[in-house]
Amino acid sequence: MSQPRLPLTVISGYLGAGKTTLINRLLSEPHGQQLMVLVNDFGAINIDADLLVSAEKDTLLLSNGCVCCTIGGDLFMAVADALDRTPRPEHLIIEASGVAEPSKIANVALAEPDLRYAGIVTLADALNYRALAHDPLVGEQVKGQVRAADIVLLSKGSDQALLLELAVLANAPAMALSDDISVSELLLELNPDKAPDIAAHTHPAYTSWSAQEPREFSRARLLEKLESRPSGLYRLKGRLLGPDGGLELHVVGAQISVSACEQPSIGKLVGIGPKQSLSQDAIAQWWA
Amino acid sequence: MSQITVYRAKEIITMDPNQPRATHVAVMDGKILAVGGADCADQWGTAVHDDSLSDAVLMPGFVEGHSHMMAGAIWDYAYAGYHDRIDPDGKLWKGMTDIEAVVERLSDQANALPAGQPLVAWGFDPIFLPTERLNRNHLDQISKDRPVAVMYSNFHLMCVNTRALELASYSAETNVEGVLRGPDGALTGELQEMAAMMPVMRRLGIDFRGLSQTAPAIRSFGKVCTRAGVTTATDLFATIEESDIDTLTRVTREASFPIRLVPTLGAIGAQPEEIAARALHLKTFNHDKLRLGAVKLMTDGSIQGWTARVKWPGYVGGQPNGIWNTPPETIFDLCEVMQKNAVQMHIHTNGDEASEVSIAALEAASRKHPWPNSRHVLQHCQMMGRDQFRACAALGICTNLFANHIWYFGDQHAALTLGEDRAERMDAVRSALDEGVRVAIHSDAPVTPMGPLFTAWCAVTRETMTGRILGEAQRISVSEALYAITLGAAYTLKMDHEIGSIETGKKADFAVLAEDPTKAKCLKDVAVLGTVINGVQHLL
């Protein structure tokens, strides 16, 4: 394969759930990655004028290397166009429409060899979610988006009971999306090589964990280990020593991918999840 | 003074109650100058008498109020469907009623292609071939070296051969939803939904965007229309970029382009105000044969795909209710903003819950921004009952019903989707007319073939593929059906003052027929000989 696989994250949620706000934050945080964001329309995309290089009818170009495009008539052809773009972006983010089934979109990342699954993020609005979930017209579709989520982000306030309800429905971690947290750290690619050696950093909203791992893992043993991972772990990434070359692993929500790679000099792992669903102890104990 | 030409016909069915029948029509400057007997234009001066259509029956050019431009260029791909179809160049492609026939036909097509070039086919529908599922072993018989992909008629599924699976790196290890496996665990070749299909489409160069808005696609659509006697047709959910406008205006202006094209902009991808502004901007490019300015809204899915939003008691097989492709509150927003900006809407509504929400949205919009002659059109309207038609009549909402569904899918609806009694009252044209609604009927080409006389036959007989009469009470008369495919559809496009009947002052747009459809043994078998648009003949 000539180019690395393009990670694809789907941002889902009903109208008003805060998808655009999240995208605005992803585009403007200093994460250093060249994102390509596909949105339904530019209506609420709000880029700081200092960051905007050019704005055409269907493309916004940012000085940090990010690009934001409207999806146009065919989402999947827009994804194909993203793959053919030179240089290829480092991460593809899709804003699903307010009634889209996000798994039908994210599934393309499992099907297409040039893409890599990087998660379904479903937003729920703390003020309106309960009413929407019981709405006779759209309730099932709204709940379906939560069920498909690898992580649920609650916008417009925090509500512990609702977070619990969402986490149970999604069978995935749920957390409140406060204004002061870095969303790129949670949602974009983790870099095991840049991560601190071990559990050295603390964060107000997330538990992030990293480890150096000298042990050797067979594929089967690694898969078995991953089966028992803590439920609050949203993403885990790393390279481990294997008996016949290295093993590269990507875990996002329920999706596990283990593939062969060059034998690393030492194994490294990095993982992240919402603080309220995942503790340092839980992850450290699991991996130990 | 311009030339006056008086055409003699075997019979002219005018759809004008003042003079329902005539033998001659006088044309000047592309318009109808007079209608009547041989002397109808004598008052206007010297006329040339033309007998070239004297063996034909003329009707107003048919109006297809719900079709898609890809009905033309889809024929760039090989046909793999169950029913007989005629391509834009007039070639009859016999339907393939078993898998062996599909394999045989596609093998012939594949052998005519350069080595290695993918064979892509369309129109296959497993609903009509229930015995065995198409799989890659069948398609490997067509070719082992060249990729083969058969797209199903609903465009949600495809089946591909082993070579195509390999190109997409699908293998025994692939564990992806929509990439199907057989009982033995091996891939069957069937791919369901776009996510699973996209890796193959990308590598085989299948891109449906090229089937609309290119010059050959537009011309090809014109040919499809002429074969059906259609002189005005919609492209009902067009994606029109600024860069497409030049091609669209240039091709539709060509003297040889045989229809008035009515593309309606798909109302997605922007805020409602921007969409309205875009529609009004497009309207500035209009000319005689190009009529932009309306928009198309999506609401729900399809009944046979169990994705239409249906009211209680739902689907007869217990399937969950369908899905909204546009959230109801966005439907309300769009309706309000389009109404405010005087942009006409065509609204896709298959299930009765979708039509209910759409009617409510239009009523709310009309209370805020009164527009008495708005003529918004509900499209498909397949489950609407008399209550909803009464509401439409009260609000001035038009309905364009999917009459072809009765023949193509009526048996399936009775058995699998809605059950007996609701299937009998599907596509209730009789109720719509009785409740005073403006009615058109349509093909949704390429979903079913364009052919207004076939569509009229469906509404008249309500016969299904198995010969059953589905809902005798909803039958309409031949003259009502002929009205629906001419003036009825013209009304829904706000063009009834220009087209839809053969009367003085209107455009000289005719369907040229081999016999009188009101006297023919079978309406659907009346041969179309061609059309006339603006007085210019396009004979087959």
Side-chain angles (χ1 to χ4, degrees):
Chain A
M1 208 177 304
S2 54
Q3 297 197 67
R5 297 169 74 166
L6 174 60
L8 169 65
T9 301
V10 176
I11 296 181
S12 158
Y14 193 67
L15 304 175
K19 298 189 293 290
T20 309
T21 309
L22 181 65
I23 285 167
N24 283 332
R25 286 170 67 172
L26 275 174
L27 283 171
S28 51
E29 281 182 8
H31 43 69
Q33 290 195 46
Q34 300 193 340
L35 309 184
M36 179 159 184
V37 184
L38 299 178
V39 299
N40 291 296
D41 71 74
F42 286 153
I45 296 292
N46 183 13
I47 302 297
D48 194 341
D50 297 342
L51 206 55
L52 200 61
V53 174
S54 70
E56 282 165 26
K57 193 187 156 288
D58 50 9
T59 308
L60 301 177
L61 206 59
L62 276 61
S63 59
N64 59 12
C66 295
V67 184
C68 183
C69 296
T70 51
I71 288 166
D74 190 319
L75 169 63
F76 291 91
M77 291 297 121
V79 173
D81 289 348
L83 285 168
D84 294 338
R85 203 177 168 93
T86 331
R88 190 181 273 182
E90 291 176 285
H91 199 122
L92 182 62
I93 313 256
I94 295 178
E95 178 199 20
S97 88
V99 281
E101 280 182 62
S103 53
K104 284 201 169 186
I105 302 170
N107 199 28
V108 76
L110 302 173
E112 168 57 56
D114 291 348
L115 291 170
R116 187 151 48 68
Y117 187 92
I120 295 173
V121 180
T122 297
L123 285 142
D125 167 353
L127 305 175
N128 289 322
Y129 175 81
R130 282 196 176 90
L132 282 171
H134 291 100
D135 185 287
L137 295 180
V138 299
E140 281 309 310
Q141 278 174 273
V142 168
K143 285 187 282 187
Q145 292 171 348
V146 174
R147 283 192 197 101
D150 295 307
I151 190 166
V152 184
L153 300 179
L154 191 64
S155 64
K156 303 180 189 173
S158 184
D159 175 333
Q160 290 308 314
L162 182 54
L163 279 171
L164 189 62
E165 182 186 329
L166 291 166
V168 168
L169 184 60
N171 192 22
M175 64 180 284
L177 181 63
S178 55
D179 293 338
D180 55 349
I181 61 173
S182 154
V183 289
S184 51
E185 195 175 334
L186 181 67
L187 302 182
L188 301 184
E189 288 298 278
L190 303 164
N191 188 339
D193 295 323
K194 284 189 190 160
D197 286 346
I198 189 150
H201 49 318
T202 55
H203 196 284
Y206 320 130
T207 295
S208 56
W209 169 87
S210 53
Q212 294 208 346
E213 179 53 71
R215 287 175 291 176
E216 193 174 87
F217 281 80
S218 69
R219 190 186 168 86
R221 186 173 153 222
L222 177 59
L223 287 171
E224 192 188 321
K225 184 107 180 141
L226 290 172
E227 282 306 314
S228 62
R229 68 194 183 278
S231 62
L233 186 64
Y234 168 52
R235 289 184 309 127
L236 179 71
K237 178 176 175 178
R239 283 189 170 151
L240 293 172
L241 294 155
D244 324 293
L247 291 173
E248 183 171 312
L249 75 124
H250 292 270
V251 177
V252 184
Q255 291 294 337
I256 294 173
S257 153
V258 175
S259 52
C261 66
E262 265 183 51
Q263 187 77 278
S265 52
I266 185 164
K268 283 180 183 174
L269 281 173
V270 54
I272 194 165
K275 184 159 264 176
Q276 69 179 64
S277 339
L278 181 69
S279 69
Q280 288 282 354
D281 286 351
I283 192 166
Q285 271 173 24
W286 162 65
W287 187 255
Chain B
M1 179 132 183
S2 305
Q3 180 178 299
I4 299 168
T5 307
V6 177
Y7 293 95
R8 179 159 74 97
K10 193 157 72 181
E11 182 85 62
I12 300 175
I13 302 168
T14 66
M15 307 310 291
D16 171 11
N18 298 297
Q19 186 176 215
R21 299 271 169 165
T23 52
H24 291 72
V25 56
V27 175
M28 186 173 80
D29 295 333
K31 290 184 191 163
I32 297 165
L33 179 70
V35 184
D39 58 352
C40 67
D42 284 1
Q43 284 179 304
W44 294 99
T46 313
V48 174
H49 284 260
D50 186 325
D51 285 351
S52 61
L53 301 174
S54 59
D55 288 335
V57 172
L58 299 186
M59 276 195 64
F62 298 141
V63 181
E64 175 51 89
H66 191 142
S67 53
H68 302 279
M69 195 186 276
M70 73 188 292
I74 191 78
W75 288 96
D76 293 352
Y77 300 127
Y79 179 59
Y82 182 86
H83 301 98
D84 293 354
R85 279 219 179 185
I86 295 170
D87 74 13
D89 294 317
K91 179 169 174 180
L92 171 71
W93 295 87
K94 292 294 286 180
M96 288 147 272
T97 53
D98 57 44
I99 286 175
E100 288 67 40
V102 173
V103 169
E104 191 181 332
R105 171 80 59 77
L106 295 184
S107 297
D108 292 346
Q109 305 257 103
N111 292 335
L113 294 174
Q117 188 175 318
L119 176 78
V120 181
W122 68 284
F124 184 80
D125 196 338
I127 208 165
F128 302 124
L129 297 174
T131 48
E132 190 188 6
R133 202 85 185 160
L134 185 68
N135 65 53
R136 70 182 160 116
N137 297 322
H138 299 125
L139 302 184
D140 285 346
Q141 294 170 38
I142 296 166
S143 177
K144 285 189 164 21
D145 310 323
R146 96 171 64 241
V148 176
V150 176
M151 181 71 71
Y152 291 12
S153 56
N154 62 13
F155 295 103
H156 287 283
L157 279 73
M158 62 175 15
C159 188
V160 304
N161 71 348
T162 303
R163 179 74 193 114
L165 288 172
E166 287 166 359
L167 280 176
S169 306
Y170 286 153
S171 69
E173 283 81 50
T174 303
N175 184 18
V176 175
E177 193 185 323
V179 181
L180 265 57
R181 290 167 180 282
D184 59 351
L187 299 184
T188 67
E190 185 169 332
L191 307 175
Q192 300 186 340
E193 297 299 335
M194 271 304 286
M197 286 156 46
M198 180 270 214
V200 168
M201 292 175 70
R202 188 170 167 243
R203 287 166 181 82
L204 267 56
I206 306 172
D207 186 346
F208 290 125
R209 291 175 295 189
L211 300 182
S212 300
Q213 311 305 342
T214 66
I218 300 167
R219 292 191 192 107
S220 186
F221 183 62
K223 287 188 194 175
V224 167
C225 294
T226 300
R227 298 207 162 270
V230 169
T231 51
T232 298
T234 49
D235 176 22
L236 213 59
F237 200 82
T239 306
I240 306 167
E241 306 290 346
E242 202 64 23
S243 53
D244 295 322
I245 294 174
D246 185 53
T247 305
L248 195 55
T249 51
R250 180 171 51 81
V251 174
T252 50
R253 272 184 201 281
E254 287 169 2
S256 59
F257 187 67
I259 59 164
R260 300 181 201 285
L261 181 65
V262 186
T264 69
L265 181 69
I268 52 162
Q271 296 292 307
E273 285 287 355
E274 286 171 66
I275 295 169
R278 176 96 189 124
L280 294 171
H281 167 69
L282 288 172
K283 199 173 185 173
T284 63
F285 294 93
N286 281 0
H287 60 80
D288 184 49
K289 288 194 289 181
L290 179 65
R291 307 302 178 97
L292 294 151
V295 298
K296 165 92 176 279
L297 274 61
M298 290 303 293
T299 62
D300 64 344
S302 74
I303 300 169
Q304 72 274 25
W306 291 280
T307 48
R309 287 293 304 197
V310 302
K311 289 169 66 174
W312 191 88
Y315 291 107
V316 74
Q319 289 86 354
N321 203 349
I323 52 160
W324 296 101
N325 286 312
T326 305
E329 62 181 284
T330 305
I331 297 170
F332 273 77
D333 287 350
L334 283 164
C335 284
E336 183 183 335
V337 172
M338 297 307 144
Q339 172 94 1
K340 180 179 146 201
N341 288 283
V343 173
Q344 191 198 12
M345 287 174 274
H346 296 269
I347 308 179
H348 162 114
T349 60
N350 267 317
D352 49 2
E353 191 175 68
S355 41
E356 185 172 79
V357 165
S358 301
I359 292 166
L362 289 171
E363 182 168 9
S366 68
R367 288 172 69 94
K368 287 185 182 156
H369 309 286
W371 182 15
N373 197 24
S374 52
R375 298 193 200 177
H376 303 304
V377 187
L378 298 188
Q379 296 283 347
H380 300 327
C381 315
Q382 297 211 72
M383 293 179 68
M384 285 173 63
R386 284 172 299 155
D387 55 335
Q388 293 189 358
F389 287 121
R390 279 193 289 274
C392 287
L395 289 160
I397 300 169
C398 309
T399 58
N400 188 352
L401 291 100
F402 201 166
N404 283 19
H405 241 258
I406 299 163
W407 192 78
Y408 280 98
F409 298 102
D411 297 311
Q412 317 288 343
H413 290 313
L416 300 173
T417 65
L418 300 177
E420 287 291 333
D421 56 349
R422 283 180 303 165
E424 294 236 326
R425 46 153 263 206
M426 284 184 78
D427 299 293
V429 185
R430 174 83 274 143
S431 291
L433 290 172
D434 289 350
E435 298 300 343
V437 181
R438 296 287 180 168
V439 168
I441 48 180
H442 68 265
S443 68
D444 199 10
V447 175
T448 71
M450 190 186 292
L453 289 171
F454 176 83
T455 305
W457 173 83
C458 289
V460 168
T461 65
R462 295 186 65 90
E463 203 175 308
T464 70
M465 267 175 65
T466 59
R468 167 184 182 177
I469 304 303
L470 191 70
E472 200 170 345
Q474 289 298 336
R475 284 176 158 183
I476 60 170
S477 70
V478 171
S479 55
E480 286 170 325
L482 295 180
Y483 187 92
I485 60 173
T486 53
L487 263 178
Y491 185 90
T492 68
L493 304 178
K494 298 193 167 188
M495 292 174 74
D496 53 305
H497 59 299
E498 294 179 273
I499 60 167
S501 59
I502 299 179
E503 57 186 299
T504 300
K506 284 199 169 179
K507 308 275 188 189
D509 290 5
F510 312 133
V512 183
L513 309 175
E515 58 179 322
D516 180 344
T518 65
K519 294 173 185 153
K521 205 164 116 232
C522 190
L523 190 52
K524 71 179 164 68
D525 296 331
V526 171
V528 173
L529 306 177
T531 63
V532 175
I533 179 170
N534 288 336
V536 179
Q537 295 186 11
H538 297 271
L539 299 183
L540 302 174

